[in-house]
Amino acid sequence: MINGSKVLDHSIRWAMVGGGKGSQIGYIHRSAALRDNNFQLVAGAFDINPERGMEFAAELGVAADRCYPDYKTMFEEEAKREDGIEAVSIATPNGTHFEIAKAALKAGLHVVCEKPLCFTSEQADELVALAEEKKRVVGVTYGYSGHQMIQQARQMIKNGDLGEIRVINMSFAFGGYNYKIEETNPAAAWRFNPAKAGPSFALGDVGTHPLYILEAMIPDMEIKNLMCTKRSFVEGRELEDNAFVIMNLKESKSVQDDAQIYCWASSINCGARHGHVIRVVGSKASIEWDDERPNQMTYEIEGEPRRILERGAGYLYPEARVEDRIGGGHAEGLFEAWANLYRRFAIAMDAADNGEYGDFWYPDVKAGANGVKWIEKCVESADNGAKWIDFD
């Protein structure tokens, strides 16, 4: 149990772009990054309105001379300071991610970015190359992957507890956009605007979350090909609010050849709060995780009673307990999951600063690029009549 202990001997000087007052995602970033004192918020360009941003910075305790009107000014001015920022989080609409992340990397900063990382594979490849050139860490906030039971699943699959993986059923199908919410909620409106949201809504906004969780659970998983169908059920939307994807996987140490993934990504699953469930079926056993019950995971062996594995329990693999902040039985949630990711980002950033790179997993720039590629392939398939598309 780490009890929220600090993992670095210093705090990383950190800033935010976006995430201003009233931003739910901005609050989550700050709560997660500051939880274990591995980051210190010292600067920001919080709001497109500089006056509002300045007022909010004062509430956060950020000095007035380090609250900036835009990210370009912030990167330029902070570079002049001996105590300038070392990392930045990007919590702005999708269409701005690429340019801000690119500018941050060129300024020599580590980056934490909301997904999608960018809109196209060409942009993603550019960010991957730039991160490698600058030896900077890019973390992508697939926040649900920070839950400790994801690490338990990863170790169970690695150690062969499930046997060869055969079938995966994943969904993120909520019901909150079952009506034209964008007419009354400006925060929802941009999500259906291709210029701001990119080529997809349901696939990009929610479908990529379970996709990355699978990548975390099964690191050697590779998609062979996929078929997608998507549509908008609510009249007037430019981007889909519902999609289905079938994927065939390549054979690997963990995965049987032609294993299949079935994915449902939706915002119109009427009555569902999240509907974010992942079931992994192997030749020996199956596991199932639901993000609305993140502290538990079912473990099912044919012919035996269903087991419910609990976060923090002594029978879990050690890797699934390293980020315990409180004993088993006490529920941990989304803020802890994000804090776990920020803890990993801090470790990775510190290692990169010291020229050290090891076998340490977190949602990195390549994971972000893979999510962008997946969206592109799904859109290509759907736009061509649900045609099978090779992933490579």
Side-chain angles (χ1 to χ4, degrees):
M1 184 180 296
I2 68 166
N3 291 317
S5 59
K6 192 172 180 177
V7 294
L8 307 183
D9 60 6
H10 63 286
S11 295
I12 295 170
R13 297 185 299 275
W14 171 63
M16 289 193 71
V17 180
K21 190 168 186 175
S23 166
Q24 173 179 276
I25 208 69
Y27 178 66
I28 294 174
H29 275 279
R30 287 186 295 276
S31 298
L34 302 175
R35 178 151 296 191
D36 296 331
N37 298 310
N38 295 309
F39 291 86
Q40 180 185 7
L41 182 63
V42 298
F46 299 106
D47 201 303
I48 196 169
N49 180 316
E51 291 183 4
R52 266 198 323 243
M54 186 71 72
E55 292 172 0
F56 187 57
E59 292 182 22
L60 296 176
V62 174
D65 65 342
R66 301 187 76 173
C67 179
Y68 300 95
D70 56 74
Y71 72 89
K72 293 179 181 178
T73 304
M74 180 168 70
F75 295 165
E76 181 180 344
E77 293 301 316
E78 287 291 313
K80 299 174 183 177
R81 303 177 61 112
E82 288 188 9
D83 63 346
I85 59 173
E86 301 168 285
V88 63
S89 289
I90 302 167
T92 56
N94 298 359
T96 63
H97 293 176
F98 172 68
E99 290 298 337
I100 301 173
K102 181 179 176 180
L105 288 171
K106 285 188 172 182
L109 301 172
H110 297 294
V111 176
V112 176
C113 187
E114 276 297 308
K115 54 86 197 151
L117 188 60
C118 51
F119 280 177
T120 70
S121 287
E122 289 76 16
Q123 291 175 339
D125 291 343
E126 186 174 349
L127 292 179
V128 170
L130 190 55
E132 291 176 347
E133 175 193 336
K134 297 291 185 179
K135 295 180 170 57
R136 299 293 84 184
V137 166
V138 177
V140 182
T141 49
Y142 289 116
Y144 303 101
S145 66
H147 284 293
Q148 291 171 267
M149 297 309 288
I150 304 304
Q151 182 69 280
Q152 172 67 12
R154 179 184 175 94
Q155 296 305 316
M156 292 177 73
I157 292 167
K158 177 182 178 181
N159 292 324
D161 297 346
L162 274 63
E164 282 191 311
I165 305 307
R166 292 173 169 173
V167 175
I168 299 165
N169 190 14
M170 70 183 201
S171 66
F172 200 146
F174 71 102
Y177 289 9
N178 190 54
Y179 63 99
K180 208 159 189 177
I181 188 174
E182 57 268 33
E183 289 185 341
T184 56
N185 185 343
W190 69 266
R191 299 180 185 278
F192 295 98
N193 181 345
K196 295 182 178 181
S200 163
F201 167 59
L203 292 162
D205 200 57
V206 294
T208 52
H209 278 295
L211 179 71
Y212 177 70
I213 288 176
L214 287 181
E215 293 175 22
M217 288 180 174
I218 316 170
D220 61 353
M221 182 189 85
E222 290 187 70
I223 299 172
K224 182 185 295 184
N225 52 23
L226 61 77
M227 179 180 68
C228 174
T229 178
K230 64 182 180 70
R231 63 167 292 184
S232 176
F233 281 90
V234 176
E235 187 177 354
R237 288 178 172 167
E238 294 185 71
L239 297 174
E240 88 285 349
D241 52 28
N242 193 82
F244 298 98
V245 188
I246 301 175
M247 292 161 270
N248 292 315
L249 301 181
K250 295 180 181 178
E251 184 177 13
S252 69
K253 182 179 178 181
S254 305
V255 178
Q256 187 170 316
D257 189 35
D258 278 333
Q260 290 190 312
I261 300 177
Y262 299 88
C263 170
W264 179 24
S266 180
S267 66
I268 59 154
N269 183 16
C270 199
R273 294 295 295 170
H274 257 197
H276 185 189
V277 181
I278 297 173
R279 183 174 181 83
V280 182
V281 179
S283 57
K284 295 181 180 178
S286 302
I287 54 174
E288 185 169 305
W289 180 82
D290 182 341
D291 94 0
E292 294 180 53
R293 301 167 185 82
N295 290 263
Q296 293 82 36
M297 182 170 66
T298 64
Y299 176 35
E300 302 168 49
I301 301 172
E302 183 65 31
E304 297 185 13
R306 173 185 292 184
R307 297 164 171 83
I308 306 295
L309 307 184
E310 294 275 354
R311 185 205 64 77
Y315 50 73
L316 301 179
Y317 283 106
E319 293 88 346
R321 301 187 64 200
V322 72
E323 288 163 333
D324 278 346
R325 291 181 178 79
I326 192 169
H330 299 279
E332 290 188 329
L334 189 65
F335 288 99
E336 286 78 16
W338 279 65
N340 291 343
L341 286 191
Y342 263 96
R343 176 181 179 272
R344 296 173 202 173
F345 294 156
I347 294 170
M349 290 173 186
D350 185 62
D353 289 342
N354 291 291
E356 300 171 1
Y357 303 92
D359 181 18
F360 177 75
W361 78 271
Y362 61 94
D364 62 7
V365 67
K366 292 182 179 178
N370 194 61
V372 173
K373 180 180 178 181
W374 182 75
I375 295 167
E376 284 184 337
K377 296 293 184 179
C378 289
V379 171
E380 181 184 351
S381 171
D383 288 349
N384 284 277
K387 178 182 177 183
W388 280 97
I389 299 291
D390 290 336
F391 197 71
D392 292 331

PDB file of all heavy atoms in Angstrom, residues 168-199:
ATOM      1  N   ILE A 168     -13.509 -11.026 -27.288  1.00  0.00           N
ATOM      2  CA  ILE A 168     -13.615  -9.865 -26.407  1.00  0.00           C
ATOM      3  C   ILE A 168     -14.876  -9.101 -26.789  1.00  0.00           C
ATOM      4  O   ILE A 168     -15.093  -8.801 -27.966  1.00  0.00           O
ATOM      5  CB  ILE A 168     -12.388  -8.937 -26.536  1.00  0.00           C
ATOM      6  CG1 ILE A 168     -11.104  -9.685 -26.145  1.00  0.00           C
ATOM      7  CG2 ILE A 168     -12.567  -7.686 -25.673  1.00  0.00           C
ATOM      8  CD1 ILE A 168      -9.841  -8.992 -26.567  1.00  0.00           C
ATOM      9  N   ASN A 169     -15.691  -8.810 -25.790  1.00  0.00           N
ATOM     10  CA  ASN A 169     -16.893  -8.023 -26.020  1.00  0.00           C
ATOM     11  C   ASN A 169     -16.738  -6.718 -25.234  1.00  0.00           C
ATOM     12  O   ASN A 169     -16.638  -6.740 -24.010  1.00  0.00           O
ATOM     13  CB  ASN A 169     -18.133  -8.790 -25.551  1.00  0.00           C
ATOM     14  CG  ASN A 169     -19.420  -8.130 -25.989  1.00  0.00           C
ATOM     15  OD1 ASN A 169     -19.415  -7.255 -26.844  1.00  0.00           O
ATOM     16  ND2 ASN A 169     -20.526  -8.547 -25.410  1.00  0.00           N
ATOM     17  N   MET A 170     -16.669  -5.601 -25.945  1.00  0.00           N
ATOM     18  CA  MET A 170     -16.463  -4.331 -25.250  1.00  0.00           C
ATOM     19  C   MET A 170     -17.519  -3.331 -25.683  1.00  0.00           C
ATOM     20  O   MET A 170     -17.955  -3.314 -26.833  1.00  0.00           O
ATOM     21  CB  MET A 170     -15.052  -3.781 -25.510  1.00  0.00           C
ATOM     22  CG  MET A 170     -14.797  -3.273 -26.926  1.00  0.00           C
ATOM     23  SD  MET A 170     -13.077  -2.723 -27.117  1.00  0.00           S
ATOM     24  CE  MET A 170     -13.198  -1.644 -28.549  1.00  0.00           C
ATOM     25  N   SER A 171     -17.929  -2.526 -24.718  1.00  0.00           N
ATOM     26  CA  SER A 171     -18.922  -1.502 -25.033  1.00  0.00           C
ATOM     27  C   SER A 171     -18.655  -0.260 -24.208  1.00  0.00           C
ATOM     28  O   SER A 171     -18.144  -0.338 -23.085  1.00  0.00           O
ATOM     29  CB  SER A 171     -20.344  -2.001 -24.761  1.00  0.00           C
ATOM     30  OG  SER A 171     -20.541  -2.212 -23.375  1.00  0.00           O
ATOM     31  N   PHE A 172     -18.970   0.864 -24.786  1.00  0.00           N
ATOM     32  CA  PHE A 172     -19.132   2.115 -24.040  1.00  0.00           C
ATOM     33  C   PHE A 172     -20.359   2.739 -24.670  1.00  0.00           C
ATOM     34  O   PHE A 172     -20.292   3.405 -25.700  1.00  0.00           O
ATOM     35  CB  PHE A 172     -17.909   3.020 -24.183  1.00  0.00           C
ATOM     36  CG  PHE A 172     -17.805   4.066 -23.094  1.00  0.00           C
ATOM     37  CD1 PHE A 172     -16.566   4.469 -22.620  1.00  0.00           C
ATOM     38  CD2 PHE A 172     -18.933   4.652 -22.528  1.00  0.00           C
ATOM     39  CE1 PHE A 172     -16.453   5.427 -21.620  1.00  0.00           C
ATOM     40  CE2 PHE A 172     -18.834   5.612 -21.530  1.00  0.00           C
ATOM     41  CZ  PHE A 172     -17.576   6.006 -21.069  1.00  0.00           C
ATOM     42  N   ALA A 173     -21.510   2.455 -24.081  1.00  0.00           N
ATOM     43  CA  ALA A 173     -22.796   2.811 -24.691  1.00  0.00           C
ATOM     44  C   ALA A 173     -23.679   3.452 -23.632  1.00  0.00           C
ATOM     45  O   ALA A 173     -24.380   2.764 -22.897  1.00  0.00           O
ATOM     46  CB  ALA A 173     -23.456   1.571 -25.283  1.00  0.00           C
ATOM     47  N   PHE A 174     -23.616   4.782 -23.560  1.00  0.00           N
ATOM     48  CA  PHE A 174     -24.411   5.507 -22.572  1.00  0.00           C
ATOM     49  C   PHE A 174     -25.626   6.137 -23.245  1.00  0.00           C
ATOM     50  O   PHE A 174     -25.765   6.106 -24.469  1.00  0.00           O
ATOM     51  CB  PHE A 174     -23.552   6.562 -21.864  1.00  0.00           C
ATOM     52  CG  PHE A 174     -23.159   7.747 -22.722  1.00  0.00           C
ATOM     53  CD1 PHE A 174     -23.823   8.958 -22.602  1.00  0.00           C
ATOM     54  CD2 PHE A 174     -22.113   7.653 -23.625  1.00  0.00           C
ATOM     55  CE1 PHE A 174     -23.458  10.045 -23.374  1.00  0.00           C
ATOM     56  CE2 PHE A 174     -21.740   8.741 -24.404  1.00  0.00           C
ATOM     57  CZ  PHE A 174     -22.418   9.943 -24.291  1.00  0.00           C
ATOM     58  N   GLY A 175     -26.524   6.716 -22.462  1.00  0.00           N
ATOM     59  CA  GLY A 175     -27.769   7.212 -23.037  1.00  0.00           C
ATOM     60  C   GLY A 175     -27.986   8.705 -22.944  1.00  0.00           C
ATOM     61  O   GLY A 175     -29.046   9.199 -23.331  1.00  0.00           O
ATOM     62  N   GLY A 176     -26.991   9.433 -22.461  1.00  0.00           N
ATOM     63  CA  GLY A 176     -27.177  10.837 -22.162  1.00  0.00           C
ATOM     64  C   GLY A 176     -27.429  11.752 -23.344  1.00  0.00           C
ATOM     65  O   GLY A 176     -27.949  12.867 -23.179  1.00  0.00           O
ATOM     66  N   TYR A 177     -27.075  11.297 -24.560  1.00  0.00           N
ATOM     67  CA  TYR A 177     -27.287  12.106 -25.766  1.00  0.00           C
ATOM     68  C   TYR A 177     -28.391  11.498 -26.624  1.00  0.00           C
ATOM     69  O   TYR A 177     -28.397  11.626 -27.845  1.00  0.00           O
ATOM     70  CB  TYR A 177     -25.999  12.222 -26.571  1.00  0.00           C
ATOM     71  CG  TYR A 177     -24.925  13.089 -25.930  1.00  0.00           C
ATOM     72  CD1 TYR A 177     -25.061  13.554 -24.629  1.00  0.00           C
ATOM     73  CD2 TYR A 177     -23.773  13.432 -26.629  1.00  0.00           C
ATOM     74  CE1 TYR A 177     -24.074  14.335 -24.048  1.00  0.00           C
ATOM     75  CE2 TYR A 177     -22.787  14.220 -26.055  1.00  0.00           C
ATOM     76  CZ  TYR A 177     -22.938  14.662 -24.755  1.00  0.00           C
ATOM     77  OH  TYR A 177     -21.971  15.443 -24.172  1.00  0.00           O
ATOM     78  N   ASN A 178     -29.351  10.849 -25.959  1.00  0.00           N
ATOM     79  CA  ASN A 178     -30.439  10.187 -26.652  1.00  0.00           C
ATOM     80  C   ASN A 178     -31.412  11.175 -27.304  1.00  0.00           C
ATOM     81  O   ASN A 178     -32.236  10.803 -28.124  1.00  0.00           O
ATOM     82  CB  ASN A 178     -31.208   9.292 -25.660  1.00  0.00           C
ATOM     83  CG  ASN A 178     -32.193   8.386 -26.342  1.00  0.00           C
ATOM     84  OD1 ASN A 178     -31.826   7.648 -27.238  1.00  0.00           O
ATOM     85  ND2 ASN A 178     -33.450   8.463 -25.931  1.00  0.00           N
ATOM     86  N   TYR A 179     -31.273  12.442 -26.929  1.00  0.00           N
ATOM     87  CA  TYR A 179     -32.068  13.506 -27.548  1.00  0.00           C
ATOM     88  C   TYR A 179     -31.100  14.601 -27.981  1.00  0.00           C
ATOM     89  O   TYR A 179     -29.888  14.512 -27.734  1.00  0.00           O
ATOM     90  CB  TYR A 179     -33.100  14.045 -26.560  1.00  0.00           C
ATOM     91  CG  TYR A 179     -32.483  14.688 -25.343  1.00  0.00           C
ATOM     92  CD1 TYR A 179     -32.355  16.079 -25.250  1.00  0.00           C
ATOM     93  CD2 TYR A 179     -32.000  13.907 -24.276  1.00  0.00           C
ATOM     94  CE1 TYR A 179     -31.768  16.671 -24.142  1.00  0.00           C
ATOM     95  CE2 TYR A 179     -31.416  14.499 -23.173  1.00  0.00           C
ATOM     96  CZ  TYR A 179     -31.297  15.881 -23.114  1.00  0.00           C
ATOM     97  OH  TYR A 179     -30.707  16.461 -22.016  1.00  0.00           O
ATOM     98  N   LYS A 180     -31.591  15.647 -28.584  1.00  0.00           N
ATOM     99  CA  LYS A 180     -30.716  16.678 -29.144  1.00  0.00           C
ATOM    100  C   LYS A 180     -30.214  17.614 -28.045  1.00  0.00           C
ATOM    101  O   LYS A 180     -30.550  18.806 -27.991  1.00  0.00           O
ATOM    102  CB  LYS A 180     -31.431  17.451 -30.249  1.00  0.00           C
ATOM    103  CG  LYS A 180     -30.459  18.004 -31.274  1.00  0.00           C
ATOM    104  CD  LYS A 180     -31.141  18.307 -32.577  1.00  0.00           C
ATOM    105  CE  LYS A 180     -30.123  18.656 -33.658  1.00  0.00           C
ATOM    106  NZ  LYS A 180     -30.750  18.892 -34.959  1.00  0.00           N
ATOM    107  N   ILE A 181     -29.372  17.088 -27.197  1.00  0.00           N
ATOM    108  CA  ILE A 181     -28.840  17.816 -26.055  1.00  0.00           C
ATOM    109  C   ILE A 181     -28.031  19.026 -26.481  1.00  0.00           C
ATOM    110  O   ILE A 181     -27.942  20.020 -25.765  1.00  0.00           O
ATOM    111  CB  ILE A 181     -27.987  16.870 -25.178  1.00  0.00           C
ATOM    112  CG1 ILE A 181     -27.586  17.561 -23.868  1.00  0.00           C
ATOM    113  CG2 ILE A 181     -26.788  16.361 -25.934  1.00  0.00           C
ATOM    114  CD1 ILE A 181     -26.858  16.637 -22.895  1.00  0.00           C
ATOM    115  N   GLU A 182     -27.465  18.965 -27.676  1.00  0.00           N
ATOM    116  CA  GLU A 182     -26.613  20.054 -28.149  1.00  0.00           C
ATOM    117  C   GLU A 182     -27.359  21.361 -28.364  1.00  0.00           C
ATOM    118  O   GLU A 182     -26.740  22.431 -28.450  1.00  0.00           O
ATOM    119  CB  GLU A 182     -25.875  19.650 -29.431  1.00  0.00           C
ATOM    120  CG  GLU A 182     -26.746  19.206 -30.577  1.00  0.00           C
ATOM    121  CD  GLU A 182     -26.998  17.704 -30.609  1.00  0.00           C
ATOM    122  OE1 GLU A 182     -27.063  17.093 -29.517  1.00  0.00           O
ATOM    123  OE2 GLU A 182     -27.139  17.160 -31.707  1.00  0.00           O
ATOM    124  N   GLU A 183     -28.673  21.297 -28.430  1.00  0.00           N
ATOM    125  CA  GLU A 183     -29.455  22.529 -28.602  1.00  0.00           C
ATOM    126  C   GLU A 183     -29.489  23.371 -27.322  1.00  0.00           C
ATOM    127  O   GLU A 183     -29.681  24.588 -27.380  1.00  0.00           O
ATOM    128  CB  GLU A 183     -30.881  22.193 -29.037  1.00  0.00           C
ATOM    129  CG  GLU A 183     -30.976  21.680 -30.459  1.00  0.00           C
ATOM    130  CD  GLU A 183     -32.417  21.470 -30.916  1.00  0.00           C
ATOM    131  OE1 GLU A 183     -33.314  21.380 -30.036  1.00  0.00           O
ATOM    132  OE2 GLU A 183     -32.633  21.388 -32.129  1.00  0.00           O
ATOM    133  N   THR A 184     -29.302  22.729 -26.185  1.00  0.00           N
ATOM    134  CA  THR A 184     -29.365  23.440 -24.910  1.00  0.00           C
ATOM    135  C   THR A 184     -28.059  23.395 -24.125  1.00  0.00           C
ATOM    136  O   THR A 184     -27.910  24.103 -23.130  1.00  0.00           O
ATOM    137  CB  THR A 184     -30.482  22.859 -24.023  1.00  0.00           C
ATOM    138  OG1 THR A 184     -30.257  21.450 -23.845  1.00  0.00           O
ATOM    139  CG2 THR A 184     -31.843  23.073 -24.679  1.00  0.00           C
ATOM    140  N   ASN A 185     -27.117  22.565 -24.561  1.00  0.00           N
ATOM    141  CA  ASN A 185     -25.859  22.395 -23.837  1.00  0.00           C
ATOM    142  C   ASN A 185     -24.686  22.699 -24.769  1.00  0.00           C
ATOM    143  O   ASN A 185     -24.297  21.864 -25.582  1.00  0.00           O
ATOM    144  CB  ASN A 185     -25.755  20.960 -23.312  1.00  0.00           C
ATOM    145  CG  ASN A 185     -24.528  20.744 -22.444  1.00  0.00           C
ATOM    146  OD1 ASN A 185     -23.583  21.530 -22.463  1.00  0.00           O
ATOM    147  ND2 ASN A 185     -24.541  19.666 -21.678  1.00  0.00           N
ATOM    148  N   PRO A 186     -24.095  23.900 -24.658  1.00  0.00           N
ATOM    149  CA  PRO A 186     -22.982  24.266 -25.544  1.00  0.00           C
ATOM    150  C   PRO A 186     -21.795  23.317 -25.443  1.00  0.00           C
ATOM    151  O   PRO A 186     -21.076  23.108 -26.424  1.00  0.00           O
ATOM    152  CB  PRO A 186     -22.594  25.676 -25.058  1.00  0.00           C
ATOM    153  CG  PRO A 186     -23.804  26.186 -24.362  1.00  0.00           C
ATOM    154  CD  PRO A 186     -24.462  24.992 -23.746  1.00  0.00           C
ATOM    155  N   ALA A 187     -21.587  22.732 -24.254  1.00  0.00           N
ATOM    156  CA  ALA A 187     -20.466  21.807 -24.076  1.00  0.00           C
ATOM    157  C   ALA A 187     -20.631  20.547 -24.909  1.00  0.00           C
ATOM    158  O   ALA A 187     -19.658  19.870 -25.235  1.00  0.00           O
ATOM    159  CB  ALA A 187     -20.330  21.440 -22.596  1.00  0.00           C
ATOM    160  N   ALA A 188     -21.888  20.221 -25.262  1.00  0.00           N
ATOM    161  CA  ALA A 188     -22.141  19.048 -26.094  1.00  0.00           C
ATOM    162  C   ALA A 188     -22.142  19.388 -27.576  1.00  0.00           C
ATOM    163  O   ALA A 188     -21.865  18.520 -28.418  1.00  0.00           O
ATOM    164  CB  ALA A 188     -23.478  18.418 -25.715  1.00  0.00           C
ATOM    165  N   ALA A 189     -22.411  20.643 -27.906  1.00  0.00           N
ATOM    166  CA  ALA A 189     -22.601  21.023 -29.312  1.00  0.00           C
ATOM    167  C   ALA A 189     -21.366  20.774 -30.159  1.00  0.00           C
ATOM    168  O   ALA A 189     -21.453  20.256 -31.289  1.00  0.00           O
ATOM    169  CB  ALA A 189     -23.023  22.489 -29.395  1.00  0.00           C
ATOM    170  N   TRP A 190     -20.178  21.125 -29.637  1.00  0.00           N
ATOM    171  CA  TRP A 190     -18.973  21.001 -30.458  1.00  0.00           C
ATOM    172  C   TRP A 190     -18.638  19.541 -30.771  1.00  0.00           C
ATOM    173  O   TRP A 190     -17.940  19.249 -31.747  1.00  0.00           O
ATOM    174  CB  TRP A 190     -17.782  21.692 -29.791  1.00  0.00           C
ATOM    175  CG  TRP A 190     -17.266  21.048 -28.535  1.00  0.00           C
ATOM    176  CD1 TRP A 190     -17.600  21.355 -27.256  1.00  0.00           C
ATOM    177  CD2 TRP A 190     -16.306  19.981 -28.438  1.00  0.00           C
ATOM    178  NE1 TRP A 190     -16.927  20.561 -26.361  1.00  0.00           N
ATOM    179  CE2 TRP A 190     -16.118  19.711 -27.060  1.00  0.00           C
ATOM    180  CE3 TRP A 190     -15.579  19.230 -29.365  1.00  0.00           C
ATOM    181  CZ2 TRP A 190     -15.251  18.727 -26.596  1.00  0.00           C
ATOM    182  CZ3 TRP A 190     -14.720  18.257 -28.908  1.00  0.00           C
ATOM    183  CH2 TRP A 190     -14.556  18.000 -27.539  1.00  0.00           C
ATOM    184  N   ARG A 191     -19.143  18.619 -29.972  1.00  0.00           N
ATOM    185  CA  ARG A 191     -18.814  17.205 -30.160  1.00  0.00           C
ATOM    186  C   ARG A 191     -19.401  16.634 -31.452  1.00  0.00           C
ATOM    187  O   ARG A 191     -18.951  15.592 -31.927  1.00  0.00           O
ATOM    188  CB  ARG A 191     -19.294  16.387 -28.960  1.00  0.00           C
ATOM    189  CG  ARG A 191     -18.645  16.815 -27.658  1.00  0.00           C
ATOM    190  CD  ARG A 191     -19.127  15.997 -26.483  1.00  0.00           C
ATOM    191  NE  ARG A 191     -18.584  16.493 -25.223  1.00  0.00           N
ATOM    192  CZ  ARG A 191     -17.367  16.193 -24.749  1.00  0.00           C
ATOM    193  NH1 ARG A 191     -16.580  15.382 -25.432  1.00  0.00           N
ATOM    194  NH2 ARG A 191     -16.958  16.693 -23.593  1.00  0.00           N
ATOM    195  N   PHE A 192     -20.392  17.306 -32.020  1.00  0.00           N
ATOM    196  CA  PHE A 192     -20.979  16.840 -33.286  1.00  0.00           C
ATOM    197  C   PHE A 192     -20.564  17.718 -34.460  1.00  0.00           C
ATOM    198  O   PHE A 192     -21.116  17.597 -35.550  1.00  0.00           O
ATOM    199  CB  PHE A 192     -22.504  16.789 -33.156  1.00  0.00           C
ATOM    200  CG  PHE A 192     -22.981  15.778 -32.152  1.00  0.00           C
ATOM    201  CD1 PHE A 192     -23.326  16.160 -30.860  1.00  0.00           C
ATOM    202  CD2 PHE A 192     -23.042  14.429 -32.480  1.00  0.00           C
ATOM    203  CE1 PHE A 192     -23.757  15.233 -29.925  1.00  0.00           C
ATOM    204  CE2 PHE A 192     -23.464  13.488 -31.557  1.00  0.00           C
ATOM    205  CZ  PHE A 192     -23.817  13.892 -30.271  1.00  0.00           C
ATOM    206  N   ASN A 193     -19.576  18.579 -34.236  1.00  0.00           N
ATOM    207  CA  ASN A 193     -19.044  19.454 -35.283  1.00  0.00           C
ATOM    208  C   ASN A 193     -17.713  18.885 -35.766  1.00  0.00           C
ATOM    209  O   ASN A 193     -16.725  18.901 -35.024  1.00  0.00           O
ATOM    210  CB  ASN A 193     -18.857  20.865 -34.710  1.00  0.00           C
ATOM    211  CG  ASN A 193     -18.329  21.843 -35.738  1.00  0.00           C
ATOM    212  OD1 ASN A 193     -17.841  21.462 -36.803  1.00  0.00           O
ATOM    213  ND2 ASN A 193     -18.415  23.126 -35.436  1.00  0.00           N
ATOM    214  N   PRO A 194     -17.644  18.367 -36.990  1.00  0.00           N
ATOM    215  CA  PRO A 194     -16.408  17.746 -37.471  1.00  0.00           C
ATOM    216  C   PRO A 194     -15.189  18.654 -37.400  1.00  0.00           C
ATOM    217  O   PRO A 194     -14.064  18.176 -37.194  1.00  0.00           O
ATOM    218  CB  PRO A 194     -16.739  17.375 -38.919  1.00  0.00           C
ATOM    219  CG  PRO A 194     -18.222  17.276 -38.959  1.00  0.00           C
ATOM    220  CD  PRO A 194     -18.727  18.294 -37.983  1.00  0.00           C
ATOM    221  N   ALA A 195     -15.388  19.964 -37.558  1.00  0.00           N
ATOM    222  CA  ALA A 195     -14.259  20.892 -37.506  1.00  0.00           C
ATOM    223  C   ALA A 195     -13.626  20.930 -36.120  1.00  0.00           C
ATOM    224  O   ALA A 195     -12.421  21.173 -35.995  1.00  0.00           O
ATOM    225  CB  ALA A 195     -14.710  22.289 -37.917  1.00  0.00           C
ATOM    226  N   LYS A 196     -14.427  20.675 -35.088  1.00  0.00           N
ATOM    227  CA  LYS A 196     -13.928  20.743 -33.716  1.00  0.00           C
ATOM    228  C   LYS A 196     -13.706  19.368 -33.095  1.00  0.00           C
ATOM    229  O   LYS A 196     -12.835  19.198 -32.241  1.00  0.00           O
ATOM    230  CB  LYS A 196     -14.903  21.552 -32.855  1.00  0.00           C
ATOM    231  CG  LYS A 196     -14.999  23.016 -33.256  1.00  0.00           C
ATOM    232  CD  LYS A 196     -15.952  23.770 -32.335  1.00  0.00           C
ATOM    233  CE  LYS A 196     -16.018  25.244 -32.708  1.00  0.00           C
ATOM    234  NZ  LYS A 196     -16.929  26.005 -31.815  1.00  0.00           N
ATOM    235  N   ALA A 197     -14.517  18.395 -33.491  1.00  0.00           N
ATOM    236  CA  ALA A 197     -14.462  17.073 -32.864  1.00  0.00           C
ATOM    237  C   ALA A 197     -13.680  16.053 -33.677  1.00  0.00           C
ATOM    238  O   ALA A 197     -13.280  15.016 -33.151  1.00  0.00           O
ATOM    239  CB  ALA A 197     -15.874  16.555 -32.630  1.00  0.00           C
ATOM    240  N   GLY A 198     -13.476  16.321 -34.976  1.00  0.00           N
ATOM    241  CA  GLY A 198     -12.816  15.344 -35.821  1.00  0.00           C
ATOM    242  C   GLY A 198     -13.804  14.513 -36.618  1.00  0.00           C
ATOM    243  O   GLY A 198     -14.990  14.848 -36.692  1.00  0.00           O
ATOM    244  N   PRO A 199     -13.354  13.388 -37.170  1.00  0.00           N
ATOM    245  CA  PRO A 199     -14.196  12.622 -38.094  1.00  0.00           C
ATOM    246  C   PRO A 199     -15.233  11.729 -37.434  1.00  0.00           C
ATOM    247  O   PRO A 199     -15.987  11.036 -38.119  1.00  0.00           O
ATOM    248  CB  PRO A 199     -13.175  11.769 -38.851  1.00  0.00           C
ATOM    249  CG  PRO A 199     -12.071  11.565 -37.874  1.00  0.00           C
ATOM    250  CD  PRO A 199     -11.985  12.840 -37.090  1.00  0.00           C
TER     251      PRO A 199
END
